[in-house]
Amino acid sequence: MHDAEARLAAAPAEPGPAGSRPRVAAARRTGRTLIASGQVAVRDGRLLAEGRVGEDVTFETARSCARQCARNVLAAVRDELRGEGGLGAVEHVEAVSVWVASAPGFTDQHLVADAATALFTEVLGDTAGRHARVALGVAALPTGSPVEVQATFRLRERPAVP
């Protein structure tokens, strides 16, 4: 039996207590693809806002949150690529997903997401920052953040080592 099969068989059926979080990587790399985990609107250890857009959070605040989420994604990517050129190792952004905690009837998720898209193009340039995107409205997001952003990047080829 493979080790993973044995560990699955031995794993308890019930999850551990709430708050005992599994280890999630801020970014995960496979070959030239780097996926950054979803980032919420945290700056200096605090959420910029809490709640749903169109109810507790204004449209402009939501756009600020989306921009901060994108900054946090880029920081995770930079940290993952430390020693390899940081953000300079990014060839381009492949895809971005933006989730917006939305009050009933709020339909401008795409306009909130535009603030994240703008930051990617400002930092990486029009060509490298341009990406495919989805913007979705949801009832709630982790920690009460009004926005969460996740992205996938294509990295430059590493020079061959002689």
Side-chain angles (χ1 to χ4, degrees):
M1 180 184 289
H2 188 273
D3 288 344
E5 297 286 341
R7 288 190 297 271
L8 175 61
E14 295 298 319
S20 62
R21 298 192 53 200
R23 292 178 50 140
V24 176
R28 182 71 183 200
R29 181 179 186 168
T30 302
R32 291 180 54 205
T33 301
L34 188 138
I35 301 171
S37 290
Q39 298 290 324
V40 296
V42 172
R43 182 185 307 142
D44 299 325
R46 298 181 53 135
L47 282 174
L48 298 184
E50 288 184 49
R52 297 193 293 187
V53 182
E55 187 175 86
D56 313 300
V57 177
T58 67
F59 174 74
E60 286 306 318
T61 298
R63 288 179 47 82
S64 294
C65 289
R67 188 172 176 89
Q68 183 63 48
C69 292
R71 287 181 64 88
N72 295 344
V73 165
L74 289 171
V77 170
R78 178 200 62 216
D79 292 349
E80 179 68 20
L81 297 173
R82 192 173 320 143
E84 298 179 53
L87 293 176
V90 172
E91 184 174 301
H92 63 264
V93 183
E94 294 269 347
V96 173
S97 299
V98 180
W99 293 273
V100 180
S102 303
F106 182 79
T107 59
D108 286 337
Q109 291 84 1
H110 62 294
L111 299 176
V112 171
D114 283 349
T117 289
L119 185 71
F120 286 120
T121 58
E122 287 169 31
V123 171
L124 299 172
D126 287 338
T127 302
R130 188 174 174 173
H131 52 265
R133 187 185 79 196
V134 62
L136 300 168
V138 296
L141 288 165
T143 68
S145 181
V147 182
E148 182 171 347
V149 174
Q150 183 271 334
T152 302
F153 299 82
R154 180 74 168 172
L155 304 178
R156 298 184 192 286
E157 286 199 46
R158 296 182 192 177
V161 178

